[in-house]
Amino acid sequence: MLGAMARKTANDDPLAAVTLAVGQEDLLLDRAVQEVVAAARAADADTDVRDLTPEQLQPGTLAELTSPSLFAERKVVVVRNAQDLSADTIKDVKGYLSAPAEEITLVLLHAGGAKGKGLLDAARKAGAREVACPKMTKPADRLAFVRQEFRATGRSATPEACQALVDAIGSDLRELASAVSQLVADVEGTIDEAVVGRYYTGRAEASSFTVADRAVEGRAAEALEALRWSLATGVAPVMITSALAQGVRAIGKLSSARGGRPADLARELGMPPWKIDRVRQQMRGWTPDGVAVALRAVAEADAGVKGGGDDPEYALEKAVVAIARAARSRGR
């Protein structure tokens, strides 16, 4: 099953001559490929699958892969990052789109931006089946994804349980999907908030967003504890710097915004209303200078984590302490 959020065109046959998967959400792109491969193998267990990067699809390669074979075997040809294909290879693909071969399914994965847009337009014009795989940047999208994952398994989960799972796991769709599978396999009956709490309390406390929340609240000791736990449980350092940056930027945005109702501010600042309330509570103690100091600390940590320093853990600890101090700058 393709799963949540992947909107499809009316041509919804996975064995259509061409499937175009558009977006940057890796899990949904992979599922789009898996759905086509599963359908092809259901039709012919001996289906040959070729999964290619732009470097592997050179001019002439597509013609070779799609030329008639003595055995008339079914074949799935997957082209990843199609926006990065060379100009000559794009000509090959456009030519193929006008006369696709029988028994062959071409799957083009495209990021959907301006790069390689000519190929995207040509595939759409040729009537390709399209699967939308957008990056889920909003918490509401991830919440809808979790609900759909539960629905797809035929199991019911309370709205509170879905929200608790998103809060605990964070933004990684693969981890969210895996968590739903785990809960469905292990728990009978309706999945509620208490069940999610039992399974994922440790994850929630260890998440990068918990580190950021404690830091911007000025609670250095708790932030450092959450940081060490996060790193020990395999959270990528870059996820933590990203969460720290989001936390500090949210303080800066809200402190410079005009007063108003959370709903109005949410629209103005691009944050959900619940987050406006949370950030308002976290803002106590912050000054404009404090925000500037904290943003510098995040930038230094980001450089340290991405290779500018030898010890990412130390770079993160230093940033967490600096942010927590900045959070208490008012009244010094």
Side-chain angles (χ1 to χ4, degrees), residues 88-295:
D88 287 339
T89 304
I90 284 175
K91 276 185 199 163
D92 283 359
V93 177
K94 284 181 176 176
Y96 177 81
L97 291 172
S98 63
E102 281 188 38
E103 299 296 305
I104 290 176
T105 300
L106 176 64
V107 185
L108 297 173
L109 275 54
H110 193 293
K115 189 177 183 186
K117 189 167 183 300
L119 178 58
L120 195 59
D121 293 342
R124 284 171 171 157
K125 193 174 176 185
R129 166 183 177 259
E130 185 169 342
V131 183
C133 306
K135 198 83 180 163
M136 292 190 198
T137 54
K138 297 177 183 170
D141 290 343
R142 293 193 286 273
L143 186 59
F145 172 81
V146 167
R147 285 180 181 145
Q148 176 63 22
E149 289 289 291
F150 278 117
R151 271 201 298 274
T153 66
R155 294 290 298 280
S156 94
T158 66
E160 293 79 14
C162 294
Q163 184 65 60
L165 201 56
V166 171
D167 289 345
I169 302 292
S171 60
D172 190 310
L173 239 56
R174 288 185 193 282
E175 291 196 19
L176 285 168
S178 172
V180 170
S181 300
Q182 183 78 50
L183 288 165
V184 165
D186 290 359
V187 179
E188 292 181 5
T190 298
I191 292 157
D192 60 18
E193 192 176 8
V195 168
V196 173
R198 279 204 305 278
Y199 271 71
Y200 294 102
T201 294
R203 286 299 307 275
E205 289 172 10
S207 78
S208 51
F209 289 104
T210 303
V211 179
D213 283 341
R214 298 298 85 82
V216 299
E217 288 159 9
R219 294 152 68 179
E222 290 172 50
L224 287 169
E225 184 184 351
L227 170 64
R228 285 166 195 144
W229 198 349
S230 290
L231 294 170
T233 54
V235 176
V238 70
M239 295 285 289
I240 299 169
T241 53
S242 173
L244 290 170
Q246 285 182 47
V248 175
R249 282 194 203 113
I251 300 278
K253 275 184 182 177
L254 197 54
S255 61
S256 61
R258 299 183 303 278
R261 294 181 306 132
D264 296 332
L265 285 168
R267 275 194 298 277
E268 185 185 331
L269 302 177
M271 295 182 199
W274 63 264
K275 187 162 186 182
I276 298 286
D277 291 334
R278 180 186 288 180
V279 176
R280 268 184 171 157
Q281 291 169 351
Q282 293 172 336
M283 273 170 53
R284 297 175 194 139
W286 280 93
T287 63
D289 285 347
V291 171
V293 166
L295 285 172

Side-chain angles (χ1 to χ4, degrees), residues 306-318:
K306 290 177 178 170
D310 297 327
D311 189 345
E313 188 169 339
Y314 173 70
L316 286 167
E317 286 183 3
K318 192 174 161 191

